[in-house]
Amino acid sequence: MAASKADPRVTPQTRLPNPRRGGSPMSFLDRIAAALAPAASDEQRADARRQLEELSVGEPFAEDILAQHRQIEALFAEAREAAGPGAEAAVRELAVLLNGHSMAEEAVVYPDISEHSGKAHAGMAYEEHAMTKVQLAELQKMAPGTREWREKLDHIESAVQQHVYQEESSWLPDVIRHAPVEERQRISMEFREYFQRFDQG
């Protein structure tokens, strides 16, 4: 049940948008995430990306994750710019990539995020992956190009952008800085193998 206006926990960032004024409703998890980690600006995301690119040299798991993040961003852009079957195909490809990417991270990387960056961070990451999969499944049932479809796509993209920012600005750097080199080598090998098995399957 939505909190009342008098509820001090509800801030301008967490209050549900009024459907009459436009905008997609935020989920309960969206509101929690917004309260804990306000959305990063384009400049902040770009800065985090640059820093992780420098830090990830010689860290294959981080390089692979960065490459997949770029692919995900490109597919969002492709889906937005395409029409009809092209948009549907881009969303299908996006869903497949995000599924394989998230499963590889959850199986191989997130246990180390839990250890070296915090259990709360890992827990949030798992939840965000789950919500993204649900939202993408809903998007695939909608007619591409409609206002509702575009709002849903924008909503998912914004959530993914924030998730990527959290990974690139904090969670992955923590693993690189604090996990022993042997552990990072294991992560790199297993992440690539896990993703390739999923991708080929």
Side-chain angles (χ1 to χ4, degrees):
M1 183 174 68
S4 68
K5 290 183 179 179
D7 191 333
R9 294 170 297 178
V10 178
T11 68
Q13 289 76 28
T14 60
R15 188 172 293 124
L16 287 169
N18 186 336
R20 294 180 181 177
R21 297 178 184 173
S24 301
M26 294 174 70
S27 72
F28 178 66
L29 285 175
D30 290 331
R31 286 180 284 159
I32 293 175
L36 294 177
S41 67
D42 291 344
E43 183 178 355
Q44 287 174 313
R45 291 199 303 271
D47 187 54
R49 174 73 52 90
R50 283 193 298 270
Q51 291 187 42
L52 183 58
E53 285 171 343
E54 294 175 2
L55 193 61
S56 67
V57 173
E59 302 287 348
F61 80 93
E63 292 174 332
D64 286 351
I65 289 173
L66 279 167
Q68 290 169 20
H69 285 174
R70 295 187 195 98
Q71 287 179 279
I72 289 165
E73 291 162 356
L75 285 169
F76 271 114
E78 183 178 336
R80 188 182 305 103
E81 294 166 6
E88 288 180 321
V91 169
R92 282 196 302 271
E93 187 176 351
L94 176 63
V96 170
L97 175 57
L98 274 170
N99 196 33
H101 173 79
S102 64
M103 289 178 68
E105 284 189 331
E106 290 167 13
V108 181
V109 182
Y110 284 5
D112 279 84
I113 287 178
S114 178
E115 181 176 353
H116 299 292
S117 190
K119 288 183 172 61
H121 290 170
M124 183 183 296
Y126 283 113
E127 293 284 2
E128 289 170 352
H129 277 179
M131 288 302 298
T132 298
K133 292 172 187 176
V134 170
Q135 294 293 315
L136 272 171
E138 292 178 0
L139 181 68
Q140 289 179 281
K141 297 176 184 177
M142 301 169 70
T146 62
R147 192 186 79 170
E148 293 78 9
W149 183 88
R150 291 189 178 279
E151 286 179 351
K152 175 72 75 174
L153 182 68
D154 289 345
H155 175 80
I156 297 169
E157 184 177 24
S158 294
V160 170
Q161 284 177 340
Q162 181 65 10
H163 175 80
V164 165
Y165 172 72
Q166 290 167 327
E167 285 190 347
E168 294 185 357
S169 66
S170 175
W171 305 344
L172 294 175
D174 284 345
V175 173
I176 293 172
R177 292 187 180 110
H178 302 301
V181 62
E182 297 83 1
E183 180 69 7
R184 301 199 309 274
Q185 290 171 345
R186 180 195 64 78
I187 295 170
S188 292
M189 180 181 66
E190 292 185 3
F191 180 85
R192 186 166 294 179
E193 289 178 351
Y194 195 102
F195 182 79
Q196 287 176 345
R197 284 201 306 271
F198 179 88
D199 194 41
Q200 293 168 1

